[in-house]
Amino acid sequence: MDTSIKNVYDSVIARDPDQPEFHQAVEEVLDSLGPVIEANPEYIDVVKSMVEPERVIQFRIPWYDDEGNLNVNRGIRVQFNSSIGPYKGGLRFHPSVNLSILKFLGFEQVFKNSLTGLPMGGGKGGSDFDPKGKSDSEVRRFCQSFMSELWRHIGADLDVPAGDIGVGGREIGYLFGMYRKLANEFTGVLTGKGLSYGGSLIRPEATGYGLVYFAREMLSTKGKSFEGASVAISGSGNVAQYACEKVLDLGGKPVTMSDSSGFIYDSSGIDREKLSWIMDLKNNRRGRIKEYADKFENIEYTESKPEPNSNELWATNVDVALPCATQNEINGSEAQLLVDGGVIAVAEGANMPCTPEAVECFLENGVLFAPGKASNAGGVATSGLEMSQNSIRMNWSREEVDSKLEEIMINIHKNTFETAEKYGFSGNYVAGANIAGFLKVAESSLSQGIL
Ligand code: NDP
Ligand code: 2IT
């Protein structure tokens, strides 16, 4: 890292020493910016300012469970950067949520949203609420309490939240209803809405579909494709499900899926029928992936273990790996297992699922590697398309939205690939994504006087 950039990194650590995930996300970006600052020394002021969120809101969320007991959770919204558009980014409900995790996600979102080419700034929010095992009524009461504070800080031209881990269509519905009631207006203040009240076709599918469109572009740079390729997918939520569907569309063979309790390996491949069973299990019955092994023949189920280096999912021999669960789910030695198994491409569906050691291992071994801020940008890009449709009070067809999504992913691939080439990081999508995402934000931030 060059000295002026290293000083910025040191100041981030000194200011918030207890935010490891945020440090990790910042370090990865700053590591790429050397040649950019060398060419444009005035951009160092943008770097200094952009590692500090524009605003962070923290609030109390009291709610009563079905037994009548009061529960108090914490809500946070990190409004990271609005220089190219309103803050935009998801809400995560998971017991692990804290300021470090939301700042890492908000920081990543700034670059990701810039890469989509759409006018969206970056933000992220959520709560340490755990939706697992809660009744619908409990989730509804929680969402209403959450929005009873958040509503005064967001708006269609100010900050537009969406889903993330633990926040899907059900939660967005309850959140939107409460916003509409409190603000006394019907606007596109959230994305991922239901189709009957302003949602966009393809938004639920968009992150997973976009991921596979991006991975297809990567493979094609080596003359390869998904046709006949075996694919390891982790997670079994929104991103994993639609990644699996698009892999099937392109002739690939998904062999694994997981949740936090364990993973299944299906040597005969997860076909459409089995995938629709998983979708029903996860989205309607809210069950565990283990049940797949009870339902279908010849399935291996492996329980997850608490120790590090123990995620045997990545010991599966596959051509492509799509980590779609959560941050830091592949470390250096797990990456080595994938390399030993002959993996050709790894594309992040989740945000930062690979540790820095894992990324280094892939790059050193010539594995095509896509960082989430490029390869999972299809979700937020389609959120951007939902905002456009809400603004013009129109709904586009499935085909229209899907073809716009595909075009955006092809453009992000081209932009990250060519930017890496231009700045001396040939074949390195991490550097390409960081630099391309940064340039647009830096230019607009500097022209506006770094506020
Ligand atoms: P979901 O809540 O729908 O699914 C999350 C999946 O990951 C579940 O299978 C869950 O298992 C698993 N998981 C979550 N936390 C952990 C953990 N700590 N350890 C092991 N497994 C875990 O979320 P999404 O599919 O929406 O999000 C998945 C990832 O994709 C996240 O990193 C998110 O930030 C990212 N992302 C999402 C986008 C979207 O549009 N939804 C867009 C871009 C990125 P379990 O049910 O057992 O917790
Ligand atoms: O990480 C992400 O990009 C998301 N969770 C989607 C954000 C959005 O606003 O659609």
Side-chain angles (χ1 to χ4, degrees), residues 353-405:
C354 300
T355 65
E357 295 74 29
V359 176
E360 201 180 307
C361 173
F362 294 136
L363 295 179
E364 275 175 2
N365 286 282
V367 173
L368 293 166
F369 174 76
K373 59 171 78 73
S375 50
N376 74 32
V380 74
T382 308
S383 280
L385 302 176
E386 181 171 332
M387 290 164 73
S388 306
Q389 293 169 78
N390 291 163
S391 298
I392 57 173
R393 298 182 196 281
M394 290 272 290
N395 295 310
W396 297 329
S397 69
R398 217 182 144 77
E399 292 70 30
E400 262 176 299
V401 181
D402 194 23
S403 78
K404 285 184 167 65
L405 165 65

Side-chain angles (χ1 to χ4, degrees), residues 92 94 96 105 112 124 132 163-167 203 207 235-240 258-261 282 288 324-327 349-351 376-377 379-380:
R92 177 177 292 191
H94 193 271
S96 64
L105 290 163
K112 183 193 305 192
K124 199 85 187 189
K132 274 200 203 78
D164 193 80
I165 292 177
V167 178
R203 176 62 188 90
T207 312
S236 49
N238 172 267
V239 181
S258 70
D259 57 26
S260 54
S261 313
K282 287 292 171 183
R288 309 303 296 161
C324 298
T326 193
Q327 64 274 0
N351 286 306
N376 74 32
V380 74

